[in-house]
Amino acid sequence: MRPDADLGMHGMVKLVAEFLDALDLRDVALVANDWGGPQVLIADGLADRVGRLVLSSCEVYDNYPPGQPGKSLFQMSKLPGGLLLAATALRFRLLQRLPTTFGLMAKRPVPRDVMARWSQPMQTDPAIRRDLRKYVLSVPDKAELADIATRAVTFERPTLIVWATEDRVMPVEHGRRLARECPDAELVEIDDSYALIPEDRPEALVAALREFLRRTDDADRRGRATQ
């Protein structure tokens, strides 16, 4: 990104909204895992092109930075050279499974090629570390997080909440609370997984997505037929 790019949470969701605008995408099914950006997208009034929303074990309410891994990354970002040290540690399989890295994010070791794609750019490119640092250190304060949470649950279109029952970073009660507070939400809980459901239980996540999209597509067709 350009050195002056806004990479805080509000800036990041503007990038998502601009992407949808640039491609003129409409009635988008927006799926997020781990990242809490979609709620900010709604709170900032940028979700006009989103027709359906899927939140999968992600940052919500005041869980920023999330859990022990998030707080560790936040602290490392404050130290000169801290992110380079953190990125270098991810070269080693044993260190990838620490509670402060991915040991609490994925129940099973992340495949080597996947971990390499995630971590090598940060290991080799100082501009990427700069961008990550800007994002990590842009955590909103508690009052702003509470305001975002209040405005985010006004999204009235179909919402699927998918949460890992063994999640140790994104509390399962957050998923249940979201399902209660969102006007048109349903909850699917997935066992034998931590926060990174796409890595731990991809088949279960895909099944939940397919059923949600099939059912909401059918409802849309019935609605159009009665008009």
Side-chain angles (χ1 to χ4, degrees), residues 197-213:
I197 302 174
E199 293 299 324
D200 279 334
R201 294 290 311 281
E203 74 295 334
L205 178 59
V206 168
L209 288 173
R210 283 178 171 163
E211 174 59 21
F212 174 68
L213 295 174

Side-chain angles (χ1 to χ4, degrees), residues 17 20 28 30 38-53 155 157:
L20 301 181
V28 169
L30 182 62
Q39 293 138 99
V40 183
L41 191 78
I42 296 164
D44 287 358
L46 299 173
D48 290 346
R49 293 180 179 271
V50 178
R52 291 168 287 185
L53 181 63
F155 186 76
R157 278 153 269 172

Side-chain angles (χ1 to χ4, degrees), residues 186-203:
E186 60 183 281
L187 173 66
V188 172
E189 294 186 349
I190 293 180
D191 296 329
D192 195 28
S193 178
Y194 290 172
L196 297 182
I197 302 174
E199 293 299 324
D200 279 334
R201 294 290 311 281
E203 74 295 334

Side-chain angles (χ1 to χ4, degrees), residues 27 43 53-54 81 121 126 133 172 204 209 226:
D27 195 28
L53 181 63
V54 179
R133 184 175 186 274
V172 67
L209 288 173
T226 58

Side-chain angles (χ1 to χ4, degrees), residues 128-149:
I128 288 179
R129 294 194 296 273
R130 176 204 65 201
D131 290 350
L132 177 61
R133 184 175 186 274
K134 288 172 65 175
Y135 174 73
V136 171
L137 295 181
S138 69
V139 178
D141 62 29
K142 296 297 183 184
E144 185 178 354
L145 289 174
D147 181 56
I148 289 170

Side-chain angles (χ1 to χ4, degrees), residues 157-227:
R157 278 153 269 172
T159 303
L160 176 65
I161 312 296
V162 184
W163 226 264
T165 59
E166 298 179 42
D167 199 329
R168 301 166 69 183
V169 175
M170 318 295 182
V172 67
E173 178 51 37
H174 283 181
R176 294 167 182 169
R177 179 180 168 188
L178 275 175
R180 293 192 300 267
E181 293 181 350
C182 293
D184 186 8
E186 60 183 281
L187 173 66
V188 172
E189 294 186 349
I190 293 180
D191 296 329
D192 195 28
S193 178
Y194 290 172
L196 297 182
I197 302 174
E199 293 299 324
D200 279 334
R201 294 290 311 281
E203 74 295 334
L205 178 59
V206 168
L209 288 173
R210 283 178 171 163
E211 174 59 21
F212 174 68
L213 295 174
R214 181 198 62 77
R215 190 169 59 255
T216 52
D217 280 343
D218 288 347
D220 284 346
R221 283 193 290 268
R222 288 195 299 269
R224 289 194 297 268
T226 58
Q227 291 178 354

Side-chain angles (χ1 to χ4, degrees), residues 93 96 108-116 199:
R93 202 69 170 155
Q96 294 170 12
R108 300 160 186 82
V110 175
R112 292 179 186 275
D113 61 326
V114 175
M115 183 61 73
E199 293 299 324

